[in-house]
Short mmCIF file of all heavy atoms in Angstrom, two decimals:
data_model
loop_
_atom_site.label_atom_id
_atom_site.label_comp_id
_atom_site.label_asym_id
_atom_site.label_seq_id
_atom_site.Cartn_x
_atom_site.Cartn_y
_atom_site.Cartn_z
N PHE U 81 1.70 -2.23 8.81
CA PHE U 81 1.82 -3.33 7.86
C PHE U 81 1.30 -4.58 8.55
O PHE U 81 1.75 -4.92 9.64
CB PHE U 81 3.31 -3.50 7.48
CG PHE U 81 3.55 -4.55 6.44
CD1 PHE U 81 3.58 -4.22 5.10
CD2 PHE U 81 3.76 -5.87 6.80
CE1 PHE U 81 3.82 -5.18 4.12
CE2 PHE U 81 4.01 -6.84 5.84
CZ PHE U 81 4.03 -6.49 4.50
N VAL U 82 0.35 -5.26 7.91
CA VAL U 82 -0.25 -6.46 8.49
C VAL U 82 0.00 -7.63 7.54
O VAL U 82 -0.36 -7.58 6.37
CB VAL U 82 -1.78 -6.28 8.69
CG1 VAL U 82 -2.38 -7.54 9.30
CG2 VAL U 82 -2.07 -5.06 9.54
N SER U 83 0.66 -8.68 8.08
CA SER U 83 0.93 -9.87 7.29
C SER U 83 1.22 -11.03 8.23
O SER U 83 1.84 -10.84 9.28
CB SER U 83 2.13 -9.64 6.37
OG SER U 83 2.36 -10.77 5.55
N ARG U 84 0.76 -12.23 7.84
CA ARG U 84 0.99 -13.44 8.62
C ARG U 84 0.54 -13.30 10.07
O ARG U 84 1.20 -13.76 11.00
CB ARG U 84 2.46 -13.83 8.58
CG ARG U 84 2.95 -14.14 7.19
CD ARG U 84 4.39 -14.55 7.22
NE ARG U 84 4.93 -14.51 5.86
CZ ARG U 84 6.19 -14.39 5.60
NH1 ARG U 84 7.08 -14.30 6.55
NH2 ARG U 84 6.60 -14.36 4.36
N GLY U 85 -0.56 -12.62 10.28
CA GLY U 85 -1.12 -12.48 11.62
C GLY U 85 -0.38 -11.51 12.52
O GLY U 85 -0.64 -11.45 13.72
N ARG U 86 0.55 -10.74 11.97
CA ARG U 86 1.29 -9.77 12.76
C ARG U 86 1.09 -8.38 12.20
O ARG U 86 0.97 -8.19 10.99
CB ARG U 86 2.78 -10.09 12.75
CG ARG U 86 3.13 -11.32 13.58
CD ARG U 86 4.59 -11.60 13.51
NE ARG U 86 4.80 -12.29 12.23
CZ ARG U 86 5.97 -12.50 11.66
NH1 ARG U 86 7.05 -12.06 12.22
NH2 ARG U 86 6.06 -13.15 10.53
N MET U 87 1.09 -7.39 13.11
CA MET U 87 0.96 -6.00 12.70
C MET U 87 2.18 -5.23 13.19
O MET U 87 2.55 -5.31 14.36
CB MET U 87 -0.30 -5.39 13.29
CG MET U 87 -0.59 -4.01 12.81
SD MET U 87 -2.32 -3.60 13.13
CE MET U 87 -2.12 -2.17 14.13
N THR U 88 2.82 -4.52 12.27
CA THR U 88 3.97 -3.70 12.58
C THR U 88 3.63 -2.28 12.18
O THR U 88 3.20 -2.04 11.05
CB THR U 88 5.22 -4.17 11.80
OG1 THR U 88 5.44 -5.55 12.07
CG2 THR U 88 6.44 -3.36 12.16
N SER U 163 -0.90 -7.38 3.39
CA SER U 163 -0.34 -8.24 2.35
C SER U 163 -0.35 -9.70 2.77
O SER U 163 -0.20 -10.02 3.94
CB SER U 163 1.11 -7.84 2.06
OG SER U 163 1.16 -6.56 1.45
N HIS U 164 -0.52 -10.56 1.80
CA HIS U 164 -0.42 -12.00 2.04
C HIS U 164 0.26 -12.67 0.87
O HIS U 164 0.41 -12.15 -0.18
CB HIS U 164 -1.79 -12.61 2.31
CG HIS U 164 -2.74 -12.50 1.16
ND1 HIS U 164 -2.81 -13.44 0.18
CD2 HIS U 164 -3.64 -11.54 0.81
CE1 HIS U 164 -3.73 -13.08 -0.72
NE2 HIS U 164 -4.22 -11.93 -0.36
#
Side-chain angles (χ1 to χ4, degrees):
F81 184 92
V82 180
S83 183
R84 299 181 194 157
R86 288 179 280 166
M87 186 162 121
T88 305
S163 292
H164 63 89

